[in-house]
Amino acid sequence: MTDVAIAPAMEPGSTTTPRMIVHEWVGQLTNALSSQDVAAAADLFLPDGVVRDLLALSWDFRNAIGHQEISTCLTVPAADRPTSIQVRPGNASVVVEEGTPGAISAFLQFRNSAGNGFGHVRLVQQDDDGTWLAATLVLALDAVDSHPECHLDARPSGKTHGPVRNRVGWQDGLDPEFTQQEPDVVILGAGHNGLMLAARLRALGIPALVLEPNERVGDNWRKRYSSLALHTPLASDHLPYLPFPSTWPRFTPKDKLGDFLESYATLLDLAVWTGTTVDAAEFDEPSRRWIVDLNRQGKQRRINPRHLVFATGMNAAPNIPEVPGRSEFEGTVMHAVDYRGHAEWQGKRAVVVGSGVSGHDIAQDLAEHGVDVTMIQRSGTFVMNTSTFHKVMHANHVSGKYSTEEADLINASTPFGALPAHGPKHVELVKAMDRELLDGLIEAGFELSDGPDGQGVLGLIFGLNGTGYYYNAGASELIIDGTIKLRHGSVEGLSSSGVLLDGDRSLEADLVVFATGYQGAPSVVRQVLGDDIADRVGEFAKVGADREYGRLWRRTAVDQLWFMVSLGIGDGRFYSKLLALQLAAMEAGTMPYTEQEQ
C-alpha cells in the first residue's frame, strides 16, 4: 500500500502552497488508480469520505461513502479509468476555505476514453499528524470527443464567407418540421427541463424535437395564479447558453418566466411543436426506434425517434380528495393548480386546505386583496425565510465566489441520499437565523415541524420524497398578525355553505382551494405508454437505495426511454448536460445502448 501522508503545510514559514498540497494528493490518487491499488486510493479519504462518479468512471451515476464503498467504486476496468486527473489551471482553482481551518477545495480536470471532464475535491488537514485527506470528490463528464459542443470559440459561423454553391440559408437548414430526417430524440414537455435538454442536444449536433400540449411555450407558467414567482435565487436559475439579463428581477415572476422560455426556444433555434399530444407510443425492437403517433393541432403525424424523453415535471395530475357533500356546496371548489388569482374573490370568504408552499402562496394572494381567508393545517410544516433558504441551501451560488457551473459541480459532490444527514445542522442554522419569525408563528398557533428525524427540508425532500415545507415570502407574517386565519384538523366534508372539519366544526366559505399536492411523475408514463412499460420503469422520481434519484437523467429499465425531470432549474441545468452526453455517446457507439451490453 502506498504512503498517503502529505506533509503539513500553511504553517508560519512553510513554503508549501495549497496548490502543491492538492497537486500531491491528486498525484497519489492517480498513481493508486493506475496501479489498481484501490485500497491505497480509499485511504486518501476520510473514514466517512464521499466519492461521486457522474459518467467519469462508468456510464452511470454512482456514489460511495466510506473506505469500503470507495474501494468498490474505484475498482473499474482499465478502459474506464481516467488517463489523467489534474488540478485545473488558474489561480482561482484552489481555495483555502474561510472560517474552516485546515480545509482546501480545488477544481480538477480529467480525461477518460470518451472525452473530458471536471471535478472538485475538498481536502481536510488532520489534527493528529497534519496529513490531508479528502472529504468529498466528484468527477463529472463534461464533453465527449464524438460530439464537440458548438459554443464559445466553437460556435457556428452563421454564414460561411466566400462563394458557396447551392448555399442553404440558416433558417432553411434548421428543418424544424423534420421533413429531411427523423429526430434522434423526442422530448415530451417544453418546460425548462425539456428546453434545456433540447438546447444541450442542439449544441452537440443531435436532432431533437420537443412536443408541448399547450398552444405556446411557457403557458404552463402563464396559466397559473398571478402572484406566482420563483423563490430560488437568480444565481441558481440561469439556463444554459442564455443566462438571464443583468436587469432581470431577483425573483422571476411566472409570466416573465413563461416569456423567457418562449424566447429561449426561439433564440436557440429549438424545434418545438406546440398544441401537440401523443396518441400512442411503442418501442419497435427490430429497428430500435420508437413509433410515436401525434396529434398536432388536429393533424396526425407519425415520427420514429431513437430516444424518447419524458420532461413532464415532478408533478402530474392534481390530488384532490373526494369529500362528502361536494355536490351540495353552493360555492366553488378547486385544486391549487386551477387557482388563477384573487380578482373574483375580493370581499368573499375562502378556505385553503394545506399548509405547504402552494397553500401559503394562495392564502397570501387572497389575504392581500381583501379576501377573508382561513388556512387549514393538518400537520406541522417546516418554515424558513426565503433569505435564509438562499444562504443555507444555495450558499455556493449566492456567495459570488463561483461561476454557475462551478457551484453546480460543488453541489453535486453530495449524493442525494446523503443530504438528509446534513439536515439537523441546517435546521439548527434556520432556527438561529429565523428565531423571531418562528416564535411568532408558534404564538399564533401555527404548528412547526423539524422534518423527519429533525432533518428539515432535506429530510422531507430527499428522505421521505415528500413536501411539508414553506419558504416564507410574506404569508407567515400574515398568519402571525391574524390576517390569514388558522384552523387545525382535517376536512371531513362540505355542506351547502362551507367546510366541515373533524370535531363537528364548520367554516363558512365561498371558495375552497385544495392545496393537497399532485400525483407523482410515473402516472404520466402510465397514461402515455401503458401499464406494462410503467410497471417496468417503476418509481423513477424518488431517491433510491443507491442514494441516487431513481432513474432520472440516466438509463432506465426500458431501453432508450429517459426522464429529464428535476426539482428546479438548477438541477435541470446540471443534469441536462449529463443526459445529453449519454445520448451523444450512444449515437457514437461509445456508450452501449443497453446495460447488458456494457
Side-chain angles (χ1 to χ4, degrees):
M1 189 174 296
T2 59
D3 181 9
V4 300
I6 298 177
M10 296 189 297
E11 297 178 357
S14 173
T15 58
T16 304
T17 65
R19 177 171 287 273
M20 292 168 62
I21 293 169
V22 179
H23 180 78
E24 186 173 352
W25 185 91
V26 169
Q28 291 185 356
L29 176 66
T30 301
N31 290 338
L33 292 178
S34 62
S35 62
Q36 302 184 56
D37 192 348
V38 292
D43 284 343
L44 291 166
F45 292 80
L46 293 172
D48 59 350
V50 178
V51 170
R52 192 137 187 258
D53 163 29
L54 301 173
L55 311 180
L57 309 174
S58 66
W59 284 112
D60 199 1
F61 301 165
R62 305 182 305 150
N63 63 79
I65 299 178
H67 287 184
Q68 183 173 349
E69 289 187 16
I70 290 174
S71 295
T72 301
C73 184
L74 297 180
T75 303
V76 294
D80 294 332
R81 290 182 212 132
T83 55
S84 67
I85 304 176
Q86 300 173 340
V87 181
R88 193 183 69 186
N91 294 331
S93 294
V94 178
V95 177
V96 178
E97 296 184 12
E98 297 177 5
T100 309
I104 300 173
S105 298
F107 291 97
L108 312 175
Q109 62 186 28
F110 69 88
R111 173 157 186 83
N112 64 14
S113 60
N116 302 310
F118 292 114
H120 184 265
V121 64
R122 182 171 184 268
L123 301 179
V124 178
Q125 190 173 28
Q126 303 307 289
D127 293 333
D128 53 354
D129 59 4
T131 59
W132 292 84
L133 300 177
T136 60
L137 170 69
V138 58
L139 297 173
L141 190 65
D142 185 66
V144 290
D145 296 338
S146 61
H147 290 73
E149 193 174 11
C150 296
H151 77 138
L152 299 177
D153 292 341
R155 70 181 68 220
S157 64
K159 180 180 180 179
T160 301
H161 288 190
V164 177
R165 292 187 180 276
N166 301 314
R167 182 191 296 271
V168 177
W170 178 267
Q171 198 64 32
D172 292 334
L174 295 176
D175 189 26
E177 298 299 314
F178 287 93
T179 58
Q180 307 298 319
Q181 62 179 332
E182 293 282 2
D184 285 341
V185 182
V186 162
I187 303 167
L188 306 185
H192 59 269
N193 284 309
L195 295 178
M196 286 192 287
L197 177 60
R200 300 284 196 191
L201 291 170
R202 173 158 177 76
L204 296 176
I206 297 176
L209 169 64
V210 185
L211 307 179
E212 170 57 44
N214 284 305
E215 290 306 306
R216 291 175 61 192
V217 172
D219 276 353
N220 56 328
W221 287 96
R222 294 188 192 93
K223 292 180 179 180
R224 302 182 71 182
Y225 52 92
S226 59
S227 63
L228 179 64
L230 296 182
H231 56 255
T232 42
L234 189 63
S236 295
D237 291 337
H238 294 297
L239 274 65
Y241 312 121
L242 191 63
F244 293 116
S246 60
T247 57
W248 200 256
R250 294 185 183 277
F251 300 99
T252 305
K254 56 101 177 180
D255 291 296
K256 223 171 158 48
L257 181 58
D259 291 346
F260 184 85
L261 293 177
E262 189 172 44
S263 299
Y264 186 83
T266 299
L267 293 173
L268 271 64
D269 295 314
L270 308 182
V272 183
W273 292 358
T274 56
T276 303
T277 56
V278 176
D279 291 335
E282 61 177 331
F283 188 69
D284 179 58
E285 288 287 352
S287 65
R288 297 199 65 82
R289 285 184 174 270
W290 287 88
I291 301 172
V292 183
D293 291 322
L294 310 175
N295 184 318
R296 185 185 182 193
Q297 299 177 345
K299 297 181 180 179
Q300 303 300 311
R301 174 80 181 265
R302 171 171 285 187
I303 53 178
N304 299 106
R306 271 194 248 276
H307 304 276
L308 182 64
V309 182
F310 278 76
T312 46
M314 280 288 193
N315 299 325
N319 274 329
I320 184 164
E322 290 294 332
V323 293
R326 180 168 178 174
S327 61
E328 301 172 14
F329 180 51
E330 295 176 358
T332 300
V333 180
M334 67 176 66
H335 188 270
V337 73
D338 298 314
Y339 177 75
R340 294 293 178 264
H342 56 267
E344 61 181 297
W345 307 109
Q346 290 178 311
K348 298 184 179 181
R349 299 162 299 183
V351 171
V352 177
V353 182
S355 57
V357 174
S358 295
H360 277 84
D361 281 354
I362 292 170
Q364 180 179 352
D365 183 53
L366 291 166
E368 288 178 342
H369 295 88
V371 180
D372 181 349
V373 58
T374 301
M375 174 186 289
I376 307 297
Q377 185 182 30
R378 187 174 60 178
S379 58
T381 308
F382 182 80
V383 177
M384 71 171 87
N385 277 318
T386 303
S387 57
T388 303
F389 166 59
H390 292 184
K391 293 175 183 176
V392 172
M393 300 188 67
H394 289 268
N396 291 320
H397 286 92
V398 302
S399 68
K401 298 177 181 178
Y402 307 109
S403 69
T404 301
E405 293 74 20
E406 288 172 341
D408 287 347
L409 186 62
I410 296 172
N411 287 355
S413 299
T414 305
F416 292 106
L419 286 171
H422 297 269
K425 182 178 180 180
H426 281 201
V427 172
E428 182 181 349
L429 289 172
V430 168
K431 286 185 174 181
M433 297 170 72
D434 293 343
R435 187 72 273 165
E436 183 178 350
L437 177 81
L438 300 179
D439 285 346
L441 285 171
I442 292 172
E443 187 174 343
F446 189 87
E447 183 181 348
L448 295 172
S449 168
D450 288 343
D453 300 321
Q455 295 170 341
V457 70
L458 294 180
L460 288 166
I461 295 175
F462 303 108
L464 294 182
N465 295 296
T467 54
Y469 54 87
Y470 171 58
Y471 307 128
N472 177 42
S476 292
E477 287 83 354
L478 296 177
I479 292 172
I480 291 170
D481 70 16
T483 303
I484 296 175
K485 301 170 185 175
L486 187 65
R487 300 289 288 271
H488 296 276
S490 58
V491 175
E492 299 291 324
L494 299 176
S495 67
S496 60
S497 59
V499 177
L500 302 176
L501 298 175
D502 54 350
D504 293 326
R505 299 172 294 158
S506 63
L507 285 171
E508 300 292 304
D510 302 296
L511 168 68
V512 178
V513 181
F514 283 93
T516 46
Y518 300 82
Q519 297 177 27
S523 64
V524 179
V525 179
R526 195 169 298 278
Q527 177 185 346
V528 174
L529 299 180
D531 291 341
D532 179 59
I533 290 181
D535 289 341
R536 287 167 59 194
V537 170
E539 180 53 76
F540 58 83
K542 291 183 178 180
V543 178
D546 64 352
R547 306 186 194 100
E548 298 293 341
Y549 232 118
R551 304 305 296 180
L552 299 184
W553 320 302
R554 55 180 177 155
R555 271 191 293 225
T556 67
V558 177
D559 293 341
Q560 295 159 243
L561 175 65
W562 307 83
F563 297 103
M564 184 57 234
V565 177
S566 69
L567 290 172
I569 293 175
D571 282 343
R573 177 182 57 245
F574 182 75
Y575 288 98
S576 62
K577 184 163 201 178
L578 293 172
L579 175 49
L581 291 175
Q582 290 173 85
L583 294 170
M586 276 193 174
E587 292 307 294
T590 308
M591 175 178 174
Y593 263 78
T594 68
E595 289 180 299
Q596 290 73 27
E597 296 171 351
Q598 190 165 324

